[in-house]
Amino acid sequence: MSEKNREGKRTAREKLAVEREKQKSADKRRRALIVGGAVVAVLGLAAVIGVVAANAGKDDDSEASGPVVAPSGAQGKDSLAIPVGKDSAKSTLTVWEDFRCPACKSFETAYRPVIHELTNAGELKVEYHLVTLIDGNMRGTGSRTAANAAACAQDAGKFPAYHDVLFDNQPSEVDDAFADNARLIELAGKVDGLDTPAFRTCVEKGTHNGWVAKSHQAFNKGGFSGTPTVLFDGENIYQDRTMTPAKLKQMVQEANKE
């Protein structure tokens, strides 16, 4: 083989080696970019999951911003309790409720008759605190909007009756029907004398939205686990599996003897 041919082959091998090295370097850069992109994607997904987890179960207080306007006759710390019954009653029942909460409706269905009996007899005073827990868990605004409407009913002196109507007509938990002001005004027609221009304006303007948001904040700060939370003279009785309407009535009557 001539020297010229050997030189040509050597040059070709060298060129091929150089090309292979270039290809290896390119492959390394491509793998690095793929791995780096995957890490960024994972971190981005983790960040999104973290945001979702951090916001799960939280109400969007930004939508409830505005002045804190307590309804007429509200009592207690920061005027966050709507009282039902006589102030002279010796016993007090504190109830934290969400109008979208199915468990709250179950409580109302079982305990409402005895609560009405005791409040009408002057033996028990009930302090209602309104919560927007389901809005945070299921999304929507129906808990807040219904709570505002109930506060508007309190302004009109019609809270107890409207409170009962809302629970009697509660939509399913995933149905945010109470977000519709027209629906809340329609239900007000079931309470004599409630559907007035003043009530409609209060509902449509969300007059008490800020107050509702503050009430929910108080619920969170109270460390309660869910709704309904029912306290009798400060003791959480709804966690008592032996509790019944008859037992509650007995507790009230015994406490009033002391």
Side-chain angles (χ1 to χ4, degrees):
M1 182 181 292
S2 68
E3 183 66 28
K4 185 176 181 180
N5 287 339
R6 283 197 296 270
E7 182 65 26
K9 288 184 178 181
R10 184 168 60 250
T11 300
R13 286 197 299 270
E14 289 174 351
K15 286 182 178 180
L16 182 59
V18 170
E19 289 301 319
R20 285 175 177 171
E21 287 300 319
K22 287 182 179 180
Q23 186 62 42
K24 287 180 181 179
S25 297
D27 289 343
K28 285 181 179 180
R29 287 196 300 271
R30 185 164 57 253
R31 285 195 297 270
L33 288 172
I34 291 172
V35 171
V39 170
V40 170
V42 169
L43 290 176
L45 179 59
V48 171
I49 292 173
V51 170
V52 171
N55 285 288
K58 290 186 178 179
D59 190 20
D60 185 2
D61 289 336
S62 64
E63 290 187 1
S65 61
V68 177
V69 181
S72 176
Q75 298 179 353
K77 180 176 172 56
D78 296 325
S79 298
L80 295 178
I82 294 180
V84 174
K86 298 178 181 178
D87 288 335
S88 59
K90 292 183 179 181
S91 295
T92 300
L93 193 71
T94 303
V95 181
W96 296 82
E97 289 183 321
D98 183 328
F99 287 110
R100 287 181 69 187
C101 164
C104 296
K105 180 175 181 177
S106 296
F107 166 76
E108 287 293 328
T109 300
Y111 286 82
R112 181 188 297 169
V114 71
I115 289 175
H116 281 187
E117 177 186 346
L118 294 170
T119 53
N120 291 338
E123 297 181 64
L124 179 70
K125 175 183 175 182
V126 184
E127 295 181 344
Y128 289 97
H129 294 259
L130 308 183
V131 182
T132 59
L133 193 66
I134 306 301
D135 282 356
N137 290 340
M138 304 298 295
R139 296 305 175 195
T141 59
S143 298
R144 184 193 67 188
T145 310
N148 171 70
C152 295
Q154 170 66 12
D155 288 337
K158 304 286 186 178
F159 173 82
Y162 189 62
H163 163 275
D164 291 354
V165 165
L166 287 177
F167 278 116
D168 288 344
N169 292 272
Q170 183 188 78
S172 67
E173 189 176 14
V174 296
D175 181 2
D176 197 23
F178 280 169
D180 183 4
N181 287 332
R183 175 57 176 160
L184 296 171
I185 291 171
E186 177 188 0
L187 291 175
K190 296 179 178 290
V191 179
D192 290 343
L194 178 56
D195 186 5
T196 64
F199 174 79
R200 290 186 172 218
T201 298
C202 182
V203 171
E204 290 167 351
K205 288 188 174 182
T207 299
H208 299 295
N209 281 351
W211 175 84
V212 173
K214 191 167 185 177
S215 178
H216 184 74
Q217 289 168 6
F219 174 79
N220 285 335
K221 290 177 182 177
F224 303 121
S225 59
T227 53
T229 291
V230 185
L231 311 175
F232 178 66
D233 288 339
E235 180 183 352
N236 193 337
I237 63 168
Y238 200 65
Q239 293 179 341
D240 181 356
R241 294 182 179 275
T242 68
M243 186 57 58
T244 63
K247 183 175 180 179
L248 173 61
K249 181 177 180 179
Q250 182 181 5
M251 289 173 64
V252 170
Q253 292 176 336
E254 288 179 354
N256 288 347
K257 293 177 181 178
E258 297 178 359

